[in-house]
Amino acid sequence: MYLRVATVLTLLALGGAQARLMQGEPAAPPAAQSEALSPRNASYRISARLEPETRTITGDEVITWRNTTSAAASTLQFHLYFNAWRNTASSWMRERILAGNTSLASRPAGDWGWIDLTAMRIVRNGQTHDVHQRLRFIAPDDGNAEDRTVVEAPLDVAVAPGETIEVHVAWTSRVPRTFARTGAIGDFFFVAQWFPKIGVLEDTGWNTHQFHSATEFFSDFGTYDVQLNVPQGWIVGATGREVSRTDAEGRTTHRYYQEDVHDFAWTTSPDYIERRARFEHPTLPPVDIRLLLQPEHETQAERHFAATRAALRSYGEWYGPYPYGHITVVDPAWQSGAGGMEYPTLFTAGTRLIAPRGAGQPESVTVHEAGHQFWYGIVATNEFEHAWLDEGLNTYTQARVMEQEFYPNFYTKRYFGDFFPWVFDDLPFTREVDGNRMPSYRPVAKNDAQSTPTFRYWPGSASAITYNKTALWLHTLEKMLGWETVQRILSTYFQRYAFGHPHPDDFFAVASEVSGQDLTWFFDQVHRSSNVFDYAVDVFRSTALTTRGYFGEGTTQNFEDARRTPDTYRTTVVVRRLGEGVFPVDVVVRFEGGSEQRWRWDGRDRWKAFEVEGPARAVSAEVDPERILLLDVNRTNNSAALAPAGPAAARKWSLAWLIWLQDHLLTYGFFV
């Protein structure tokens, strides 16, 4: 008998159907539903049982894995993501604490999670090889001997290029109180990165990174056939379509199946309200939308559907069609910490009990996570190393969809324990600043070059470099080249590399090809460096030259004298490049009467002086007046005026703040 006693006991606990899966006798999978869109070289048959009272999962799986590289594999490597939350010694926890999130270290014992392998064997050419006793934890990124998120299995005989093997695995895990948007609270479970997952073998070796606090995931495409056993009456949502449901002994086994995906996540709760809708379009394939909604959010169902449709329509029209025909939208439980996360054909949104229109939710997060189905789900870049190719491209497109479909949105502040929203309808969001998330990018702009592998970013600024910086430089490209060109760049990239795991250089090559110009100078700065862009007006004056001579700089008295004896004005502007980044910009001077003078500056020197003489006095000067360079970290120094508007601005904002303060005090007085 090749299985240890502990493994046999585990199989007995799993039940007959799951034991048959571990023994290599699973129920027949559904017939293939479509021609392969992807290599399908890492496919899974999984059976798992959830015990909600103890938050434990017992499971087993058969991984059918094919070596698609040109080199033999002498080892196999697997992710065990739940071990990131086993204790404070994991690399994930150390990085979170390093970035200042020390509260995680003091969470109660019941909050933690883990995953333990109980069996692993390799089946090839009809022969079975037990490798469980040979497993060893490795830390390929940082050498942390306490990290258990990657395990390696040495092989007696290497897997040759093109060869296919089966890996049979059994495991037990504990679902944590939510870390990194996976976990449980009460009877709500969102279960992601939950099963032993094989790494990605490349020609250079295994690409199996440890779980890091600032990164997400990377895996190969395959077919998933998954049976989930939960208490009867609990609603289940998962990657793929449900193909069968079986009740027995007060429990239900839900079977889900999906081809051409690279991950599988699921959720279950007895509290969900289920709603269904359909996306239809004259030129795009239809999509069935399933919404699992919290009961208190029932009135927001149509808003979730509208946002999902907007994403499927816009991304589909701009880049390419969504190929799966179905999608599940999950509204996570209050305080679950599971909102705003994407998995193939399934994502979590996020809303509040009080969600006024114009406050951005649930529309913004729904568009964003639905949009991930394209860059994360279909293109599927390595998010350990190049997360911006998903998150950044998606943030850029999300902002464009929101502006087109759901603006105006306004700055919203929540009070009384982050519960009650107040929408400041005199502070509208703009795509250029708020949609692209400039406020979060500005303070960390120099922390890392974007070309640094994402898992090596400073944890506290990884999000801003990944999401915000990319959205800003893509929108800058849009303003440089035009939306039609950027749309063709993104659609060409999407269609050329769908299911292909592309790299940054693939994107850059497409951008230069489609635009018809070498954009290396741009990507060298925005991606391959941490250069900061900041242009400013340093000197601005307009002096009168008359028959009585030089009147001095543009003071009010001198301007009045000049008006009495008009002749010629000499206007001088000095602009400076305060940051390291170099970008061509316009410099414009506007004159009384409405005329203007414009110069083009290559932006290379640290400063540049411009001078013009004419019959009108200048009133203002500005660098980059059309706001092409959205990466400029300080717009307040881009312009200057000879007649300051300070008093008017002070009156406006002081009155606004007084009204806000009055409203807040009245609201506070009402509740106390």
Side-chain angles (χ1 to χ4, degrees):
M1 190 71 175
Y2 56 84
L3 292 177
R4 295 187 300 126
V5 173
T7 302
V8 174
L9 293 176
T10 299
L11 296 177
L12 291 174
L14 292 175
Q18 292 170 301
R20 287 195 300 275
L21 177 56
M22 187 61 200
Q23 297 290 347
E25 301 176 16
Q33 297 173 354
S34 63
E35 294 185 7
L37 300 174
S38 70
R40 296 187 183 177
N41 63 300
S43 294
Y44 292 77
R45 300 198 305 275
I46 302 174
S47 185
R49 177 185 176 99
L50 171 68
E51 299 292 350
E53 297 80 8
T54 57
R55 296 212 310 259
T56 56
I57 296 174
T58 50
D60 56 71
E61 66 190 23
V62 176
I63 309 171
T64 303
W65 180 76
R66 184 175 74 255
N67 182 354
T68 59
T69 73
S70 59
S74 59
T75 66
L76 302 177
Q77 293 183 3
F78 303 86
H79 296 283
L80 301 176
Y81 289 108
F82 268 26
N83 280 341
W85 312 304
R86 194 180 197 100
N87 52 45
T88 59
S90 71
S91 295
W92 192 95
M93 287 296 302
R94 289 181 178 184
E95 291 166 1
R96 281 294 172 99
I97 294 169
L98 180 66
N101 195 339
T102 57
S103 62
L104 289 176
S106 59
R107 289 177 68 162
D111 280 9
W112 299 84
W114 43 262
I115 179 170
D116 283 337
L117 298 181
T118 55
M120 181 180 289
R121 57 189 177 90
I122 311 298
V123 179
R124 56 196 300 187
N125 301 321
Q127 301 294 315
T128 299
H129 307 269
D130 194 338
V131 298
H132 184 255
Q133 296 297 331
R134 304 172 65 182
L135 295 176
R136 61 195 181 198
F137 293 108
I138 61 174
D141 298 332
D142 63 9
N144 177 8
E146 301 298 321
D147 192 79
R148 297 186 181 184
T149 59
V150 177
V151 68
E152 184 174 66
L155 302 177
D156 292 324
V157 180
V159 183
E163 182 181 359
T164 298
I165 64 171
E166 284 188 349
V167 186
H168 295 239
V169 186
W171 81 93
T172 302
S173 63
R174 188 170 195 277
V175 181
R177 170 68 174 88
T178 309
F179 287 89
R181 290 168 290 186
T182 185
I185 181 172
D187 287 340
F188 170 84
F189 285 77
F190 189 81
V191 188
Q193 305 305 331
W194 57 287
F195 57 94
K197 184 189 295 186
I198 196 164
V200 176
L201 184 64
E202 301 175 328
D203 286 334
T204 55
W206 282 101
N207 194 310
T208 317
H209 291 285
Q210 298 160 245
F211 196 3
H212 296 276
S213 71
T215 61
E216 291 179 0
F217 315 105
F218 180 48
S219 51
D220 277 324
F221 285 93
T223 296
Y224 283 78
D225 182 9
V226 181
Q227 298 182 66
L228 304 167
N229 184 273
V230 301
Q232 194 167 343
W234 286 45
I235 294 174
V236 171
T239 294
R241 288 189 186 272
E242 187 174 29
V243 295
S244 69
R245 186 181 301 183
T246 305
D247 294 330
E249 299 179 350
R251 298 180 66 88
T252 302
T253 298
H254 302 257
R255 188 176 187 182
Y256 279 79
Y257 182 82
Q258 183 61 56
E259 299 166 343
D260 299 309
V261 293
H262 53 79
D263 205 351
F264 186 99
W266 59 287
T267 182
T268 186
S269 170
D271 301 323
Y272 281 130
I273 293 175
E274 183 177 1
R275 296 288 182 266
R276 293 182 181 269
R278 188 170 172 86
F279 167 76
E280 293 184 330
H281 189 280
T283 61
L284 296 171
V287 180
D288 294 323
I289 307 173
R290 184 188 185 205
L291 172 62
L292 300 181
L293 200 63
Q294 298 301 315
E296 64 269 24
H297 300 153
E298 185 175 10
T299 59
Q300 299 179 38
E302 187 50 46
R303 293 175 66 181
H304 285 80
F305 288 134
T308 303
R309 288 190 184 101
L312 293 171
R313 179 176 61 254
S314 298
Y315 284 70
E317 290 175 346
W318 296 340
Y319 309 140
Y322 176 77
Y324 297 113
H326 55 91
I327 194 167
T328 299
V329 185
V330 178
D331 174 30
W334 183 59
Q335 293 188 327
S336 67
M341 192 60 194
E342 71 281 357
Y343 288 95
T345 77
L346 174 145
F347 65 88
T348 61
T351 189
R352 306 291 186 93
L353 178 63
I354 304 175
R357 294 186 182 274
Q361 298 299 354
E363 288 79 10
S364 182
V365 66
T366 305
V367 168
H368 184 90
E369 304 308 330
H372 270 305
Q373 299 299 316
F374 293 79
W375 303 119
Y376 152 83
I378 299 169
V379 177
T381 47
N382 184 342
E383 296 212 47
F384 287 107
E385 299 177 3
H386 317 298
W388 66 269
L389 275 170
D390 166 41
E391 298 290 1
L393 271 59
N394 194 43
T395 301
Y396 164 78
T397 310
Q398 170 205 352
R400 202 170 203 286
V401 174
M402 288 298 296
E403 180 185 50
Q404 176 176 286
E405 301 285 344
F406 299 108
Y407 273 15
N409 278 182
F410 305 94
Y411 174 73
T412 302
K413 178 71 174 176
R414 288 186 174 268
Y415 300 92
F416 304 105
D418 204 34
F419 175 74
F420 185 81
W422 185 270
V423 179
F424 295 92
D425 55 12
D426 51 353
L427 291 178
F429 279 175
T430 65
R431 177 186 167 205
E432 286 82 357
V433 176
D434 307 287
N436 296 333
R437 311 184 189 185
M438 167 57 88
S440 299
Y441 166 68
R442 186 182 293 113
V444 301
K446 300 179 73 169
N447 281 16
D448 283 296
Q450 196 178 65
S451 57
T452 304
T454 309
F455 73 92
R456 298 194 184 279
Y457 284 174
W458 170 249
S461 57
S463 175
I465 301 299
T466 299
Y467 295 67
N468 313 8
K469 184 177 184 180
T470 313
L472 288 161
W473 66 247
L474 272 169
H475 200 171
T476 297
L477 268 185
E478 178 185 324
K479 285 175 166 282
M480 285 171 52
L481 306 175
W483 161 241
E484 294 77 10
T485 299
V486 171
Q487 181 268 326
R488 285 190 294 109
I489 289 171
L490 292 172
S491 63
T492 301
Y493 172 72
F494 176 82
Q495 294 169 29
R496 185 175 297 176
Y497 292 107
F499 306 98
H501 300 320
H503 293 82
D505 285 344
D506 298 318
F507 178 85
F508 301 143
V510 168
S512 292
E513 171 195 330
V514 172
S515 68
Q517 54 185 283
D518 186 355
L519 295 171
T520 303
W521 67 272
F522 183 75
F523 297 124
D524 279 347
Q525 297 188 87
V526 301
H527 175 70
R528 301 183 183 100
S529 81
S530 57
N531 287 354
V532 170
F533 296 85
D534 185 11
Y535 286 93
V537 174
D538 184 40
V539 175
F540 174 45
R541 56 176 174 252
S542 189
T543 56
L545 305 177
T546 71
T547 55
R548 295 186 293 148
Y550 174 68
F551 274 74
E553 295 189 0
T555 65
T556 303
Q557 181 62 49
N558 289 334
F559 287 137
E560 292 301 320
D561 293 342
R563 286 193 185 94
R564 285 193 293 271
T565 55
D567 246 334
T568 302
Y569 292 88
R570 176 178 296 150
T571 299
T572 302
V573 183
V574 176
V575 290
R576 291 193 179 273
R577 178 170 63 87
L578 303 178
E580 300 86 357
V582 175
F583 191 87
V585 291
D586 283 353
V587 179
V588 64
V589 172
R590 298 182 179 89
F591 300 93
E592 291 179 335
S595 63
E596 67 175 39
Q597 172 70 48
R598 186 177 292 255
W599 299 273
R600 185 68 168 170
W601 179 34
D602 63 16
R604 295 185 176 278
D605 293 335
R606 278 295 180 177
W607 64 274
K608 179 77 171 178
F610 298 92
E611 197 167 72
V612 63
E613 293 184 5
R617 180 180 73 120
V619 294
S620 66
E622 189 171 5
V623 59
D624 190 25
E626 277 74 39
R627 299 196 174 189
I628 305 298
L629 180 59
L630 296 178
L631 288 153
D632 192 317
V633 296
N634 185 4
R635 291 295 308 184
T636 64
N637 61 14
N638 281 44
S639 61
L642 292 180
R651 281 194 302 272
K652 173 184 175 181
W653 288 109
S654 62
L655 289 173
W657 279 109
L658 285 172
I659 292 170
W660 293 340
L661 177 61
Q662 173 181 286
D663 289 342
H664 293 169
L665 291 174
L666 288 171
T667 303
Y668 178 77
F670 174 80
F671 283 98
V672 299

